[in-house]
Structure formats: C-alpha cells, structure tokens
C-alpha cells in the first residue's frame, strides 16, 4: 500500500511540475508575445470595464479619453478620440474587437493604472472602495503644430515630421492618408469590421504611421549622409573639387550616371552640394569602397530599427550589400540615394537634427511624461544620445553646405523664412524608375532652423508625385513650401513660443 501511495505521490508531483512549467511558459515567458497578438482581446475585454486615462498633447489638448458606454450593456466605457484623425498615427486606438496600437498599446499599463507605482499609490483608494487608478500620458507632440502639418500637407500623400534636434522630442508627426479611430471604436462589430477592412485594403496603408513605420527612396537628401561619411573618412574636404561633367561611367559597366535632367555639374563641395550634383556623390561612394560606405551608413543608424517609444518602427536600409563590390555601379547610385536605398521619414528628420546638433543624433520620443490618477508624475523621458555619426567640425561644414542650398541652391525657390531667419536644408527628388511611369517620384526636403542656433529639424516627403510639362516634381518646389510653412509657423507665426 505504501508503495502505491508513493507512486501516486510521485505521479502527482510530476503532473504538478509539468503544470507549473506550462503555466510559467505561457503566463511569463510568452506574455509579451501573446499580448502583442492582434487578435488577442482577452486583456482588452478586462480593461474595458476599468477606467482608462487620457492622452494629452504637449499644449494641453485631450486627444484620447474614455466615456461611459451607453450603447453596450456588457461594457462600462468606450474610448473616444476628440481630435479625429489628427493624432491617430501616434495615439493609435484601443478597441474591444481589434486590440490596440501605438501609445494606447505601449502605455496601456499606465492608462489603466496597473504599473507597480500606481498599484502602490492606489492602495488607499482601494480601501475607500475607489477602483479608479487610471493614469494619463503627456505627449511631446503639440496640437497646434499637428494642425499646421495637416493643413500644409493638405490632400497630398506623404508625411511631415518635426523634432527638437537637441532632445529628440517629436513636435509634429502627421501622415496622409490616415484614419479616424472613431470610425471603428465604440461602434457595432459589423460596422467596425467593415471600416477596418476598408482601411486595410486602402492605398497608402492609412493604418500605418507612415512617418515612422514606412520607408521610401530618399533621393538627394541622402547626400547629407554620403557627404558626412566622406568628410569623416578624409575622402572629402571643403576644398575637394569635382570636374564639370554631364556623365560618369562607373567601374564594371558601360551605362553612364547622369546629373538631374542631364545637366553639367561640378565644382567644389559647397557648389556640388548646393546644386545637388549626382556624379560627385557617386564618385565619393566608389572611392569610399563598400566596407567604408556601409560602415559609415551604420554610424547614421541605417539598418537598425529606430529607437522610438512606439511599437513596430521601420528600419532604414541601403539594401542588399552582399557582393556589392562586384556591382560597383549600384554602390555609386546608392551614393546619391537611389537604387535600393530606403529611408524612414522620421529618420531623415533625425539626420537633419544630427547636423543641427553638432553631430549628435538623439533618440526620438513622443511621450514626455506619465502621471498617476492624482496627477503626480510617474516617469519623465530623459533625452538620450543614439548615434554620433559625424564630428562637430563635419556638422559645421554640412551646416554651411545646407545653408548654401537655401541661399542659392535647389531650395532657394521656397525656403526663405519669415523674419530673416536662416534655414539650412537639403532637397531630394527620388526618381522611382518605373517603366510604366518614368516621371513618378518622391519629393523630399530635410531642414533645420535657425541655422546658427537650431530649434527645429524637419523632414517632408510627398510620395508618388507626377512630373508634367508644367510642373517638375522636385523636392525643392513641392516639399520645400511645406517645410517653410511649418518652420514659419513655429518660429515667427502663431505657433512661436
């Protein structure tokens, strides 16, 4: 009998161990993965019957809140987004049927009051029978700046991103197309499903925050990076002079590289940068060679996920570099931002910000601080350095070159700021090279101002723009006015503070 009891006890012990391991695997080891699943709404269902705090812009506008749900007997609250599509790329959404995204997901524990600090601080409330422990999230984004970005972009497809180059704080980040979360949050399931499905199938991926979750060919804005690599390595100096030519045939090919519109272009670094000549930057990439070029791009954070405090950030890339030493024409073309080079719009604002900040590229962030239910601070973001791709001396040279672009170069048409403020900029026209539509491009500009004491860095990209006989789809002419409007608004206009 004792033997049978011992066998039973041993068997029960084995079952207990197996159960313990399984529970820990799923509840602890796989918690983050399960929570991240789009179709996992169990946690959302639990949270919908708990108060959820507000998300507030830097200038005090409530952009997400919870209201009593009067239409659904099983739920106590419904999420509401008073600013509609204005902030949705950053706030994301919080729904019963389709989970959560962006700030709503990343800071969900703060919003429902489940962080350790909130639980400890809320013990007294529980004893009083008060279960409202919800916290709030304060954004770095300004409501007024976001409105200005939306107005400047208009109906055009693209994005506007503004950062503080000294801290990395994101001041505005608006993309079009976008979406209004109220179209599928707090509505009947069938209506919500149809709205979500339509957005998923829409052109331009409106459910994605295109400013930080998509990437595009950058064209000549990439020359800031190539010039930085060349100057840091000693391949380029201020005095480097390139011959004036219309074509250049790189090694391993008979197919020539041309300047934009086949123009004759050359001169010293200031001139080739100001005029955005392609050939000098193609030659610079060849002289650097594959190893130095690739290593240099990594110093700028390329091929590394952006360290923003939002989920699922995209990664900029220069494309496949395997056997690139046997395909030097592709290396040459990547030197001026074509071929397989793809850059995230937020990353390009950070590139401008690194030049503005003496060579230091700060980590971007959209949440300034979090607070508990009583308004006491839980956490505040401390600015942090991400990369140092160039020295202060190189940053000063690139600032000089980018100022020349505004004064007498490819941005002189459109970047003279109000109040005599000097901007520094680089334009880009990324020719997509489609056989079906050879005149289709992405129009870019990156900039910062004031040039001598930078307060704002900006990237603007207009995607899939069409050149015509009357309109050349260049970054200076199309993206430049948007950047000017934003910088004027922030520095001397209604948004100046």
């Amino acid at each position: 009998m004792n033997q049978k009891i011992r066998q039973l006890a041993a068997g029960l012990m084995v079952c207990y161990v197996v159960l313990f391991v399984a529970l820990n695997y799923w509840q602890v080891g796989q918690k983050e993965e399960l929570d991240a699943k789009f179709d996992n709404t169990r946690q959302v269902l639990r949270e919908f019957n708990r108060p959820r705090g507000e998300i507030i812009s830097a200038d005090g506008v409530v952009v997400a809140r919870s209201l009593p749900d009067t239409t659904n007997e099983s739920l106590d609250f419904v999420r509401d987004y008073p600013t509609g599509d204005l902030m949705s790329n950053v706030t994301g959404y919080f729904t019963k049927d389709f989970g959560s995204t962006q700030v709503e997901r990343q800071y969900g524990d703060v919003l429902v009051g489940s962080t350790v600090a909130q639980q400890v601080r809320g013990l007294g409330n529980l004893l009083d029978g008060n279960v409202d422990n919800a916290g709030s999230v304060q954004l770095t984004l300004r409501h007024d700046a976001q409105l200005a970005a939306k107005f400047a972009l208009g109906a055009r497809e693209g994005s506007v991103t503004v950062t503080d180059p000294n801290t990395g704080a994101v001041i505005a980040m608006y993309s079009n197309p976008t979406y209004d979360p109220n179209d599928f949050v707090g509505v009947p399931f069938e209506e919500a499903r149809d709205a979500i499905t339509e957005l998923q199938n829409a052109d331009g991926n409106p459910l994605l925050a295109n400013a930080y979750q998509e990437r595009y060919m950058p064209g000549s804005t990439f020359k800031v990076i190539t010039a930085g690599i060349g100057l840091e390595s000693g391949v380029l100096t201020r005095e480097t002079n390139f011959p004036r030519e219309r074509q250049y045939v790189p090694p391993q090919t008979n197919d020539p590289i041309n300047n934009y519109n086949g123009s004759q272009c050359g001169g010293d670094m200031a001139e080739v940068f100001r005029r955005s000549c392609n050939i000098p930057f193609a030659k610079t990439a060849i002289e650097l060679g594959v190893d130095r070029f690739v290593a240099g791009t990594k110093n700028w954070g390329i091929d590394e996920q952006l360290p923003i405090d939002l989920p699922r950030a995209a990664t900029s890339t220069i494309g496949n570099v395997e056997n690139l030493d046997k395909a030097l024409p592709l290396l040459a073309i990547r030197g001026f931002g074509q071929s397989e080079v793809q850059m995230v719009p937020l990353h390009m604002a950070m590139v401008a910000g690194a030049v503005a900040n003496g060579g230091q590229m700060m980590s971007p962030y959209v949440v300034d601080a979090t607070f508990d239910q009583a308004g006491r601070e839980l956490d505040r973001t401390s600015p942090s350095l991400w990369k140092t791709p160039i020295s202060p001396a190189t940053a000063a040279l690139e600032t000089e070159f980018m100022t020349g672009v505004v004064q007498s170069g490819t941005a002189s048409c459109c970047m003279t700021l109000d109040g005599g403020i000097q901007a520094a900029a680089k334009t880009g026209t990324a020719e997509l090279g489609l056989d079906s539509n050879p005149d289709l491009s992405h129009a870019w500009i990156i900039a910062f101002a004031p040039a001598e004491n930078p307060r704002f860095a900006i990237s603007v990209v207009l995607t899939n723009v069409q050149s015509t006989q009357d309109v050349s789809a260049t970054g200076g002419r199309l993206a430049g006015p948007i950047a000017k409007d934003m910088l004027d608004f922030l520095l001397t206009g209604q948004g100046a503070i």
Side-chain angles (χ1 to χ4, degrees), residues 405-421:
V405 171
V406 172
Q407 292 175 339
S408 59
T410 56
S412 60
C413 64
C414 320
M415 280 294 288
T416 301
L417 302 186
D418 295 344
I421 294 175

Side-chain angles (χ1 to χ4, degrees), residues 6-7 20 38 45 52 59 78 90 96 169 174 176 216 266 304 307 332-333 382 411 416 418 446 454 470:
R6 285 195 296 270
Q7 290 173 342
F20 178 81
F38 181 78
L45 285 170
R52 189 176 180 90
D59 46 351
V78 63
V90 174
K96 176 175 70 69
Y174 182 80
N176 187 50
Y216 308 94
E304 190 171 337
I333 294 171
S382 297
T416 301
D418 295 344
I446 62 174
D470 301 322

Side-chain angles (χ1 to χ4, degrees), residues 13 29 39 49 52 70 81 182 189 342 372 377 414 428 491:
M13 182 61 70
D39 56 354
N49 287 322
R52 189 176 180 90
T70 59
Y81 300 90
N182 297 306
F189 172 77
Q342 301 279 312
D372 67 11
E377 186 175 299
C414 320
L491 291 168

Side-chain angles (χ1 to χ4, degrees), residues 46-283:
R46 289 196 302 269
E47 291 180 359
F48 251 85
N49 287 322
R50 299 170 60 183
R52 189 176 180 90
E54 295 176 337
I55 303 174
I56 307 166
S57 71
D59 46 351
V61 177
V62 174
V63 297
R65 61 186 178 182
S66 287
L67 300 176
D69 191 346
T70 59
T71 63
N72 193 322
E73 294 181 357
S74 64
L75 298 176
D76 295 334
F77 300 98
V78 63
R79 205 65 170 153
D80 176 62
Y81 300 90
T83 58
D85 66 1
L86 186 66
M87 293 280 196
S88 58
N89 285 160
V90 174
T91 63
Y93 54 81
F94 176 74
T95 71
K96 176 175 70 69
D97 297 306
F98 302 101
S100 58
T101 60
Q102 317 305 82
V103 169
E104 290 277 29
R105 171 176 287 277
Q106 197 81 350
Y107 291 87
D109 56 346
V110 171
L111 292 168
V112 298
S114 63
T115 68
V116 173
Q118 287 167 287
Q119 293 289 317
V120 171
R121 293 180 184 183
L123 287 176
N125 292 336
L126 290 175
L127 294 175
D128 294 335
N130 180 10
V131 296
D132 184 357
N133 203 30
S136 61
V137 172
Q138 179 94 44
L139 301 176
T140 60
L141 279 80
R142 289 168 42 181
H143 179 265
D144 65 342
Q146 198 78 347
L147 273 175
K150 179 179 180 179
F151 180 81
L153 192 57
R156 292 167 291 190
E157 184 177 312
S159 66
V160 178
T161 306
V162 181
T163 69
D164 180 339
N166 305 295
T167 66
V170 179
I171 310 300
M173 188 163 63
Y174 182 80
S175 299
N176 187 50
T178 185
Y179 67 95
D180 184 347
N182 297 306
D183 290 341
F184 52 84
V185 174
V187 302
F189 172 77
E190 292 78 9
E191 185 179 338
R193 180 197 59 204
D194 292 344
I196 283 279
T197 301
E198 183 177 350
L199 288 167
Q200 288 173 333
N201 295 330
D203 293 336
N205 295 320
L207 285 174
L208 289 181
N210 293 334
Y212 90 94
Q213 290 185 312
E214 288 278 41
R215 57 194 183 195
Y216 308 94
M217 188 187 299
S220 292
T221 55
F222 195 80
K223 291 172 183 173
V224 174
I225 295 174
T226 301
I229 299 170
L231 290 166
E232 285 295 303
S233 67
V235 166
L236 298 176
T237 67
R238 180 204 295 270
E239 291 74 28
T240 300
N241 205 290
F242 293 91
R244 302 182 186 278
E245 53 191 339
R246 296 183 186 276
Q247 292 187 335
Y248 160 62
V249 180
Q252 303 172 351
T253 185
N254 295 318
D255 190 14
I257 288 174
N258 303 310
N259 297 309
Y260 184 71
N261 276 344
S263 63
Q264 180 171 300
C265 205
D268 61 16
M269 276 301 300
E271 181 173 356
V272 300
F273 200 97
R274 172 177 59 82
R275 295 184 58 194
S276 200
C277 308
N278 289 339
I279 291 172
F281 294 91
K283 288 183 172 181

